[in-house]
Amino acid sequence: MESGTGPAVLMLHGSGPGTTGSGAWAMTAQALKTVHIVAPDQAGFGRTPVPAGFRGGLRLWTEQAAGLMDALGIEHYSVVGHSMGGAVALALAAARPQQVTRVVAVSTMGAPGAPLSAELDAIWAAPAGPIGARDMLSRLVLDQTLVTDSAVDARAAAMRAGAAAFASLFPPPRARWADDLTLSAQTLAAIRAPVLLVHGAEDRVTPLGTATPPLLEHLADVRLHVFGRCGHVPAIEHPHEFRQLLSCFLRRDRCH
């Protein structure tokens, strides 16, 4: 997905089965009309295949994101990443310090020492179809009224369409894939771009207590915004406040 004009913002989705760039970010992108949004399907998701010999995704997804922006001729850009995409965004900022100007890591993975949660393990294992889709969506949000029949049907269809590729990404034992997405303290300390961490207080997938303290300790220029009464997807659970927060940080304004 690509939309808008202005300063470039690369938006990276999370790792749930059936996730795509447009599915994750379309609602947010509609409200950010003064930036140039690039929201790709990362390898193994949507229409982007998994390369042969896949042995872990962080390096692959980081190189893919950097290569995409190079191919588009975009020299400087902010990166917004959700969950898995947050870990990729942070890795990209460390790898491309001259290109990445700002980072927003939402409900992010990547923190040193953060274990694979039971909720994320279950999400990665969710079977394609309505039952798996409903179970997964119920784990992502605190407000269960958001798990509507239409949302379940849409996610079930996306899960079935991408089932073959997704099956190769996070097979058991799954703790190794969470480890693959972990950034070292040295990598985090190398990031010079300002970083905004956004998290839900009731996130069970990447719990606030394990996901953010190591990042606050090791990132040189970091701030944290916590949404109360919010699970793993602030962009869906608090859409207006999330977009306002995102917009003012990307504009380099002070957020009040």
Side-chain angles (χ1 to χ4, degrees), residues 85-105:
V88 179
L90 292 167
L92 181 59
R96 293 292 187 95
Q98 302 305 315
Q99 283 77 41
V100 175
T101 57
R102 296 220 150 195
V103 177
V104 182

Side-chain angles (χ1 to χ4, degrees), residues 55-218:
R55 292 294 184 272
L58 182 60
R59 181 175 178 179
L60 167 66
W61 291 317
T62 303
E63 292 176 349
Q64 178 194 24
L68 172 62
M69 301 307 274
D70 289 346
L72 293 173
I74 300 174
E75 295 184 1
H76 304 287
Y77 48 91
S78 299
V79 187
V80 180
H82 176 245
S83 195
M84 175 195 86
V88 179
L90 292 167
L92 181 59
R96 293 292 187 95
Q98 302 305 315
Q99 283 77 41
V100 175
T101 57
R102 296 220 150 195
V103 177
V104 182
V106 185
S107 309
T108 192
M109 298 180 68
L116 172 68
S117 69
E119 297 294 314
L120 182 55
D121 192 16
I123 286 170
W124 280 349
I131 294 175
R134 187 175 296 277
D135 180 72
M136 179 179 68
L137 294 176
S138 72
R139 296 174 188 275
L140 292 175
V141 296
L142 178 67
D143 181 1
Q144 295 299 301
T145 66
L146 295 170
V147 186
T148 62
D149 289 344
S150 60
V152 169
D153 290 345
R155 180 51 71 100
M159 290 169 74
R160 285 191 293 261
F166 188 82
S168 66
L169 296 181
F170 307 111
R174 295 185 180 88
R176 55 182 164 157
W177 309 119
D179 291 343
D180 173 69
L181 286 161
T182 297
L183 284 75
S184 69
Q186 182 179 8
T187 296
L188 292 170
I191 296 172
R192 288 294 171 260
V195 177
L196 170 64
L197 303 175
V198 181
H199 225 92
E202 287 78 31
D203 186 348
R204 297 177 298 163
V205 180
T206 54
L208 178 67
T210 56
T212 59
L215 301 179
L216 293 171
E217 177 182 355
H218 295 298

Side-chain angles (χ1 to χ4, degrees), residues 7-91:
V9 181
L10 174 64
M11 305 191 80
L12 302 173
H13 60 72
S15 64
T19 302
T20 64
S22 59
W25 298 116
M27 288 180 59
T28 301
Q30 290 173 5
L32 299 178
K33 300 184 183 301
T34 59
V35 295
H36 174 197
I37 289 177
V38 179
D41 295 341
Q42 299 180 81
F45 298 87
R47 298 183 178 182
T48 305
V50 181
F54 178 84
R55 292 294 184 272
L58 182 60
R59 181 175 178 179
L60 167 66
W61 291 317
T62 303
E63 292 176 349
Q64 178 194 24
L68 172 62
M69 301 307 274
D70 289 346
L72 293 173
I74 300 174
E75 295 184 1
H76 304 287
Y77 48 91
S78 299
V79 187
V80 180
H82 176 245
S83 195
M84 175 195 86
V88 179
L90 292 167

